[in-house]
Amino acid sequence: MCLGIPMQIQSVDGFVARCTAKGAEREVNLFMLQDETIGVGDYVVVHLGNAISRMSEEEAAAAWEIYDAMLAAQDGGRLEV
């Protein structure tokens, strides 16, 4: 199963953003969102290292609630982003 992970943008350099989620930090390619205005503090859905859509803070929180519930149901597993 593939999941898009909600992450918050911390910095942007061209088409590359530094994003965080649940204490993890990753470089994310923004090329697929080149027609949108994306900036520090925004939330994006990240799949395979690419930001594939923008989302609100509320949508990101709701997604993490679902992911956390799924992980809790799996022997207290931890999601690696």
Side-chain angles (χ1 to χ4, degrees), residues 24-81:
E25 190 172 315
R26 298 285 184 268
E27 270 193 1
V28 174
N29 186 304
L30 299 175
F31 190 76
M32 292 176 70
L33 301 179
Q34 64 182 309
D35 294 329
E36 295 190 38
T37 303
I38 302 290
V40 172
D42 288 339
Y43 288 84
V44 291
V45 177
V46 178
H47 179 66
L48 298 173
N50 297 291
I52 59 173
S53 67
R54 188 175 183 186
M55 67 189 327
S56 69
E57 182 176 4
E58 293 79 16
E59 291 170 321
W64 277 112
E65 283 183 31
I66 293 168
Y67 295 162
D68 288 342
M70 289 173 18
L71 292 169
Q74 290 183 343
D75 301 327
R78 177 169 150 48
L79 180 62
E80 297 292 329
V81 290

